[in-house]
């Protein structure tokens, strides 16, 4: 699915927003209908009246939010500095630096895909049902990851060969992450905390990254319907599985 996402990135025209809308719906569905209930079931202990799994859910959401905001602020400062120097006639092109930004962004997506694979392996330790639905959500998410890995690499001036190499690394990363979990068994309470954290992480990606990207070029009803279809499909999958 990661490779397919990269292929679509090369060929998709004006329908990309529909695919991303559906993928976001799948992610929202798996968070609401499976990850959070399973996390609370495995880690029900409370801290100041709140289940620890839900606290980890908030931590996961806020952690990725803080990371993304830090990167955005850093880039904004760089942009201000570049604009200032350009206004005074001292700016020089740094094409290699732009390529480096693209490689760093794509490398971050590869690292995230390793964690996706880890989530699949950890979820299967919790049970076949939760493992299956998490795998489906990750598959849907990896399509977007592959799409974005190829797009962001090319966006910053890297050639097609380099973009395809990073796409291949992104495709292998979930397999690596899942294989890591074969080496040990995760205790139930730790697994519950991790699933809660991952649920927050996944919710942020769906609501702060994928949905805005899906709606930015085409704020249409069709995109919204695809998102609702994704949520409904995940509800159906989980209902049939249980």
């Amino acid at each position: 699915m990661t490779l397919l996402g990269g292929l679509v990135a090369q060929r998709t025209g004006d329908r990309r927003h529909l695919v991303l809308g559906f993928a976001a719906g799948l992610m929202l569905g798996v968070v609401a209908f499976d990850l959070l209930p399973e996390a609370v079931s495995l880690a029900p202990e409370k801290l100041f009246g709140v289940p620890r799994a839900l606290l980890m859910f908030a931590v996961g959401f806020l952690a990725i939010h803080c990371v993304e905001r830090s990167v955005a602020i850093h880039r904004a400062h760089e942009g201000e500095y570049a604009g200032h120097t350009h206004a005074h006639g001292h700016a020089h092109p740094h094409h290699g630096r732009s390529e480096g930004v693209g490689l760093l962004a794509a490398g971050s997506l590869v690292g995230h895909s390793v964690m996706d694979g880890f989530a699949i392996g950890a979820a299967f330790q919790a049970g076949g049902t939760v493992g299956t639905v998490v795998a489906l959500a990750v598959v849907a998410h990896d399509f977007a990851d592959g799409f974005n890995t190829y797009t962001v690499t090319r966006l910053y001036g890297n050639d097609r060969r380099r973009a395809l190499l990073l796409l291949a690394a992104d495709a292998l990363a979930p397999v690596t992450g899942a294989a890591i979990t074969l080496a040990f068994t995760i205790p139930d309470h730790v697994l519950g905390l991790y699933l809660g954290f991952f649920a927050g992480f996944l919710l942020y990606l769906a609501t702060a990254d994928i949905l805005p990207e899906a709606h930015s070029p085409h704020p249409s009803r069709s995109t919204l319907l695809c998102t609702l279809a994704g949520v409904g499909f995940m509800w159906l999958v989980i209902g049939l599985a249980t």
Side-chain angles (χ1 to χ4, degrees):
M1 287 300 292
T2 302
L3 293 175
L4 181 60
L7 177 63
V8 170
Q10 301 177 67
R11 301 178 180 274
T12 296
D14 213 31
R15 297 182 182 275
R16 169 176 170 268
H17 60 293
L18 301 179
V19 176
L20 292 177
F22 184 75
L26 291 178
M27 294 166 67
L28 290 172
V30 76
V31 168
F33 306 144
D34 190 75
L35 281 179
L36 283 180
E38 187 68 24
V40 173
S41 174
L42 291 172
E45 301 86 3
K46 294 183 178 181
L47 184 63
F48 290 105
V50 179
R52 293 184 179 183
L54 294 183
L55 289 174
M56 289 302 295
F57 168 72
V59 169
F61 187 97
L62 292 174
I64 184 63
H65 174 65
C66 290
V67 170
E68 287 208 345
R69 288 301 89 201
S70 297
V71 173
I73 292 171
H74 177 68
R75 288 178 179 173
H77 288 167
E78 284 187 343
E80 291 173 2
Y81 175 76
H84 177 75
T85 54
H86 179 73
H88 290 80
H90 300 298
H92 300 280
H94 293 281
H95 183 67
R97 185 177 182 181
S98 294
E99 289 181 352
V101 172
L103 293 176
L104 179 61
S108 298
L109 287 169
V110 173
H112 170 60
S113 291
V114 173
M115 294 305 297
D116 280 348
F118 187 85
I120 293 175
F124 270 107
Q125 290 189 20
T129 299
V130 64
T132 300
V133 294
V134 168
L136 286 174
V138 169
V139 165
H141 179 221
D142 280 351
F143 179 91
D145 268 359
F147 193 103
N148 290 332
T149 297
Y150 184 88
T151 300
V152 75
T153 305
R154 295 285 283 154
L155 181 65
Y156 286 95
N158 292 280
D159 59 27
R160 183 173 178 270
R161 182 183 64 85
R162 189 173 291 176
L164 290 175
L165 285 174
L166 281 165
L167 181 64
D170 197 19
L172 291 173
V175 180
T176 303
I180 291 173
T181 63
L182 296 176
F184 55 90
T185 300
I186 305 173
D188 283 351
H189 70 281
V190 175
L191 182 57
L193 296 177
Y194 175 76
L195 291 178
F197 181 90
F198 182 67
F201 192 90
L202 207 62
L203 182 65
Y204 183 89
L205 291 176
T207 56
D209 287 345
I210 295 181
L211 277 179
E213 188 174 351
H215 285 280
S216 59
H218 297 279
S220 63
R221 290 183 179 179
S222 57
T223 305
L224 177 59
L225 289 175
C226 284
T227 302
L228 295 175
V231 174
F233 176 77
M234 191 54 65
W235 186 13
L236 177 63
V237 169
I238 293 172
L240 291 175
T242 56

